[in-house]
Amino acid sequence: MDENNLEHDCCAVSNDRKSHHSEKTKKNLITRLNRIEGQIRGVKGLIEKDTYCDDVLNQISSIQAALNGVGKLLLEHHMKSCVIERIQEGDHEVIDEILTTMNKLMK
């Protein structure tokens, strides 16, 4: 599989279902998650310092938006590869799976 195909091939269709992100995608996701991890540590520090609640809540809102961004990116890659491939293979159960996942993401 070449690098271009790997960019959009997020999941292998098998019983052990693993993701297969390109190195570029993995690096992007890990960078975003490291930033979010730092933001969470920052909020913990704000609470320890008795920072004004509104300031802490604004930081939490920023973290939620960043997590939503990671989720959207993963969902996009998943739908463009795994979901399409499984439908093309006749596996229509993937539609219920993705609907369940999207409902969880939209809570």
Side-chain angles (χ1 to χ4, degrees):
M1 188 175 293
D2 68 20
E3 183 67 24
N4 291 334
N5 288 338
L6 192 58
E7 179 69 23
H8 295 292
D9 185 21
C10 78
C11 306
V13 180
S14 66
N15 290 336
D16 60 358
R17 299 192 318 180
K18 291 186 176 185
S19 62
H20 295 282
H21 301 288
S22 70
E23 287 304 313
K24 179 181 175 184
T25 299
K26 281 172 66 170
K27 185 176 179 180
N28 183 357
L29 291 169
I30 290 168
T31 298
R32 288 170 178 244
L33 291 169
N34 285 339
R35 191 175 309 125
I36 292 165
E37 185 178 26
Q39 287 176 302
I40 290 170
R41 281 194 303 273
V43 166
K44 181 180 175 187
L46 292 175
I47 290 172
E48 289 171 345
K49 295 176 188 173
D50 296 321
T51 302
Y52 184 61
C53 295
D54 192 56
D55 295 336
V56 176
L57 291 168
N58 284 321
Q59 289 301 311
I60 290 171
S61 176
S62 176
I63 293 166
Q64 288 172 329
L67 276 173
N68 286 339
V70 170
K72 287 176 187 176
L73 182 62
L74 280 169
L75 180 62
E76 177 183 343
H77 283 271
H78 181 57
M79 291 184 76
K80 286 182 176 179
S81 60
C82 306
V83 173
I84 289 172
E85 289 172 13
R86 287 178 61 188
I87 289 171
Q88 289 172 341
E89 293 172 357
D91 181 0
H92 296 277
E93 291 178 15
V94 71
I95 295 170
D96 290 331
E97 178 184 284
I98 196 68
L99 288 173
T100 300
T101 298
M102 290 175 69
N103 281 329
K104 288 178 184 177
L105 284 172
M106 289 194 267
K107 281 185 178 181

